């Protein structure tokens, strides 16, 4: 048999995001990149998702620089990123010109594969990014966000797979961000997709509920082209099934993962002290490492669960966690069952926390929920609560047609505003994506440079 199975190592992006809130600085992995390039992975997921925001906000790093650095060390393995379609890496919809420029620059700076998803599974929200990725010579991976709800049927998923294929995607990904896809459902869904579409199907899951490794194994048995895993020290819990364990098991079953377990050992040894430091300093909360069956009931993705814990801990209300976990599915139903993935997971999570802590449902409605109800995020998968629409919007009517067509181009204004602060188109895009964080970063960079110049003048004197 020896059927090939592609392994995507996600330690630098999703494991980093799911276990330690994306706080891993470049210094923690720069020394191991060349070794990672030799492991035999199909791809390394290294960028996108929350990494961009986190670089600017917490790590004092230029995200583009991080990507170029990784590319300079990883010469053979494909580099992969996660992109939220029309949201790019932010939390709102951007204009088409921004989406196109961002996608093109991502490919130019070293990305091979862009996994493009939309929180609502609305193909219209993925179309611009897919089109530009293909034009830029990248591999466009169209994504099906897996969720459980009365309106998310098997047929709907297969139909979405066909649509994404017809849009030109090079592959498909079933994205189980909450780790709630059972092994049997995964087997049936992958089997159906493999039968109905010609492009390869990849499966992404999390270990949150303990189903992850079983689900990935069934994915492979059903004919998936590849799976996502995390190096063992950063695997498990809200993160992903362990790379070494899956490779070990699959190779023994006669599959060919192409991954060298000896090299994995070296990679794992490198990350052990990193993990130990995060654990010691509190950046890694041990509670995210255990199996939480609650997610099967509440469908809380890994990142969302740790965010809810963090939010409640910050206001000393962790005792309200059970109430918030019960409120979450109710808010979701009111919003027409959006899958719980960024930015919908934050939107639903924050609203659920607000509903519990203010002692009354929808006493405060967030700006984001109002925008969503107005139609600024695309089409809701199901019926939204008309009562809530009335409460949130009053007499205002939701938008008809494609909201993105109404967004003015953002780049010219940003360029003019930044002036000499921006040294490249990438700087401008950072600002468009995250204005506050990017401006603070760019100002600090300029000050540091000015300081350096004055030092060297002094030295010269
Ligand atoms: Co994920």
């Amino acid at each position: 048999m020896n059927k090939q199975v592609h392994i995507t190592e996600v330690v630098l992006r999703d494991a980093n995001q799911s276990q330690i809130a994306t706080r891993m600085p470049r210094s923690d992995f720069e020394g191991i990149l060349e070794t990672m390039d030799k492991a035999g992975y199909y791809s390394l997921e290294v960028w996108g998702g929350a990494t961009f925001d986190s670089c600017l906000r917490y790590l004092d790093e230029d995200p583009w620089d991080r990507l170029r650095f990784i590319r300079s060390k990883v010469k053979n393995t494909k580099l992969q990123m996660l992109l939220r379609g029309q949201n790019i890496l932010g939390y709102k919809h951007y204009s088409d010109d921004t989406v196109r420029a961002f996608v093109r620059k991502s490919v130019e700076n070293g990305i091979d594969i862009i996994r493009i998803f939309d929180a609502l599974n609305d193909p219209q929200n993925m179309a611009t990014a897919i089109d530009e990725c293909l034009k830029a010579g990248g591999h466009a991976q169209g994504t099906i966000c897996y969720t459980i709800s009365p309106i998310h049927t098997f047929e709907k998923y297969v139909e979405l797979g066909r649509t994404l294929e017809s849009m030109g995607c090079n592959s498909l990904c079933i994205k189980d961000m909450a780790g709630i896809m059972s092994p049997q459902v995964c087997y049936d869904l992958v089997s159906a997709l493999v039968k109905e579409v010609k492009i390869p199907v990849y499966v992404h899951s999390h270990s949150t509920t303990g189903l992850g490794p079983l689900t990935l194994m069934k994915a492979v048995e059903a004919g998936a082209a590849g799976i996502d895993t995390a190096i063992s020290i950063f695997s498990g819990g809200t993160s992903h099934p362990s790379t070494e364990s899956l490779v070990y098991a699959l190779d023994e079953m006669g599959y060919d993962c192409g991954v060298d377990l000896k090299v994995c050992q070296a990679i794992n040894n490198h990350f052990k002290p990193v993990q130990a430091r995060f654990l010691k300093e509190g950046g890694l909360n041990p509670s995210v490492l255990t199996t939480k069956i609650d997610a099967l009931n509440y469908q809380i993705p890994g990142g969302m669960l740790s965010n809810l814990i963090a939010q409640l801990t910050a206001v000393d209300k962790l005792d309200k966690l059970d109430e918030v976990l019960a409120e979450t599915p109710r808010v979701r139903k009111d919003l027409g069952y959006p899958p719980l993935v960024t930015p919908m997971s934050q939107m639903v999570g924050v609203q659920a926390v607000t509903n519990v802590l203010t002692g009354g449902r929808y006493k405060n409605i967030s700006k984001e929920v109002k925008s969503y109800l107005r139609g600024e995020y695309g089409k809701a998968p199901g019926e939204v609560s008309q009562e809530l629409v009335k409460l949130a919007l009053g007499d205002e009517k939701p938008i008809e047609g494609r909201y993105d067509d109404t967004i003015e181009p953002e780049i010219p204004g940003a360029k003019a505003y930044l002036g000499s602060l921006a040294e490249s188109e990438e700087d401008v895009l950072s600002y468009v994506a995250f204005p506050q964080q990017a401006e603070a970063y760019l100002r600090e960079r300029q000050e540091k440079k000015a300081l350096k110049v004055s030092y060297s003048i002094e030295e010269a004197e």
Side-chain angles (χ1 to χ4, degrees), residues 29 171 233 318 324 429:
F29 60 79
S171 62
I233 191 69
L318 195 57
V324 170
L429 287 169

Side-chain angles (χ1 to χ4, degrees), residues 98-118:
T98 299
V99 174
R100 287 189 187 280
F102 203 95
V103 165
R104 204 175 58 244
K105 280 290 167 193
S106 301
V107 174
E108 274 178 33
N109 281 282
I111 290 293
D112 298 295
I113 303 168
I114 309 188
R115 178 175 291 167
I116 299 160
F117 78 97
D118 174 62

Side-chain angles (χ1 to χ4, degrees), residues 13-14 18 175-177 204-206 240:
R13 206 289 295 176
D14 206 349
S18 304
K175 181 176 160 67
D176 172 27
M177 51 280 169
H204 172 91
S205 185
H206 287 256
H240 309 261

Side-chain angles (χ1 to χ4, degrees), residues 172-185:
L172 286 181
C173 172
I174 305 171
K175 181 176 160 67
D176 172 27
M177 51 280 169
I180 52 171
M181 182 162 55
S182 73
Q184 189 61 49
V185 166

